[in-house]
Amino acid sequence: QRLVDEAVASGEQGGVQFCVYRDGKCIVDVWAGRLSTNENAAAVRGDSLFPIFSTEKPLLATAVHRAVEQGKMDYDKPLCTWWPEFTGDGKERLTLRETLGYRSGMTGGCPDRLSEKGMADWPLLLQVVASDKPEITPGTKQRYMPYAYAWMLGHPLEVAMKKPLNDVLTDEVLKPCGIENDYYFAVPDSELKRVVKVYSGKETYNFEEMNKNCYRKACIPSAYAVANARAIAKFYLRLSGQD
């Protein structure tokens, strides 16, 4: 606790949480700071929610693995098995396994033809992506997908599981980990007051876009989830079987 308090007092952090499990038991769960730089902002608590960006990608991948375990998806079938519109320019040969391994060839950030509002419009987003051309031959080279991981895996997953993506992630990952009240891919109105305001600082990414409710409420599980430290720690505890 002294360390996080000092980090806030020195200005190194505005708000912070830190949680550690060891041998299946929580041994550290501390926090400090405020929800924003506003001097009247509420204090950070253990259940406050921080925008986490790519930290949600492993949960999306875990949901896909669970779908495979249930026989509803197959690593070596092409994505167009569940996304018929995703064809052309070699996309029809791209497999689920290659997509999980960042070999989609569709590595760009936000589709260029979409506005801010469009990025939060899932049906429109899928329509635009399905018609996009790969940057490189799908399945050939590994390249990180900062945003695209969400829809490249998310839409096939929701089709295979026959329910909305947010429901799939909640039912297959969040609830089994016991973190459904501390981790949100789409933040409900009732929980917005718990979300920390973020600032871009010296980073090249525009993190401040996450302060807009259109992104907080959109289920784009590669860059726009919120969670607290204890929820992330509990996920890895469950995933590793140490609980």
Side-chain angles (χ1 to χ4, degrees), residues 55-64 169 173-174 179 183 185 235:
T55 305
E56 63 264 48
K57 289 183 173 73
L59 283 82
L60 173 60
T62 297
V64 172
L169 293 164
V173 183
L174 300 185
I179 59 175
Y183 201 123
F185 290 97
F235 164 70

Side-chain angles (χ1 to χ4, degrees), residues 7 9 21 35 59-60 74 87 95 101 116 120 126 152 169 223-224 237 240:
Y21 278 82
L35 300 186
L59 283 82
L60 173 60
D74 186 312
T87 57
T95 67
E116 175 183 291
L126 296 176
M152 296 296 293
L169 293 164
Y224 294 119
L237 180 73
S240 64

Side-chain angles (χ1 to χ4, degrees), residues 2 16 20 22 60 76 83 92 99 103-104 107 118 131 133 139 152 156 168 172 186 192-193 195 200 216 234 243:
R2 178 179 57 80
V16 60
V20 178
R22 183 176 182 181
L60 173 60
D76 295 311
W83 194 353
E92 64 278 358
T99 307
R103 295 178 180 273
S104 71
T107 56
S131 63
K133 291 187 176 183
M152 296 296 293
V168 176
E172 298 298 329
L192 288 172
K193 62 182 179 293
V195 181
S200 293
R216 290 176 174 180
K234 287 180 71 174
D243 60 345

Side-chain angles (χ1 to χ4, degrees), residues 160-213:
M161 302 297 276
K162 299 180 179 179
K163 53 185 173 182
L165 179 57
N166 191 53
D167 291 348
V168 176
L169 293 164
T170 300
D171 294 343
E172 298 298 329
V173 183
L174 300 185
K175 287 183 177 179
C177 292
I179 59 175
E180 66 271 23
N181 296 320
D182 288 305
Y183 201 123
Y184 293 97
F185 290 97
V187 186
D189 288 335
S190 61
E191 306 305 317
L192 288 172
K193 62 182 179 293
R194 295 167 57 193
V195 181
V196 171
K197 187 174 183 179
V198 291
Y199 303 90
S200 293
K202 298 178 181 179
E203 300 292 339
T204 56
Y205 290 103
N206 181 21
F207 291 128
E208 293 183 19
E209 66 187 11
M210 190 58 192
N211 296 326
K212 299 175 182 178
N213 285 343

Side-chain angles (χ1 to χ4, degrees), residues 25-99:
K25 296 182 180 180
C26 182
I27 62 170
V28 178
D29 188 17
V30 297
W31 52 88
R34 296 189 177 276
L35 300 186
S36 79
T37 56
N38 187 323
E39 62 181 14
N40 296 318
V44 169
R45 305 186 310 181
D47 67 347
S48 297
L49 302 168
F50 283 72
I52 56 174
F53 297 87
S54 292
T55 305
E56 63 264 48
K57 289 183 173 73
L59 283 82
L60 173 60
T62 297
V64 172
H65 295 314
R66 287 178 62 81
V68 171
E69 288 177 338
Q70 296 169 27
K72 297 178 180 178
M73 301 187 85
D74 186 312
Y75 293 125
D76 295 311
K77 286 187 176 180
L79 285 194
C80 62
T81 303
W82 309 280
W83 194 353
E85 300 83 3
F86 191 76
T87 57
D89 302 302
K91 293 185 294 185
E92 64 278 358
R93 294 188 294 274
L94 177 66
T95 67
L96 179 63
R97 185 187 302 276
E98 291 166 339
T99 307

Side-chain angles (χ1 to χ4, degrees), residues 2-23:
R2 178 179 57 80
L3 289 173
V4 295
D5 287 341
E6 289 177 354
V8 170
S10 69
E12 182 179 357
Q13 296 289 340
V16 60
Q17 296 168 329
F18 188 58
C19 184
V20 178
Y21 278 82
R22 183 176 182 181
D23 298 329

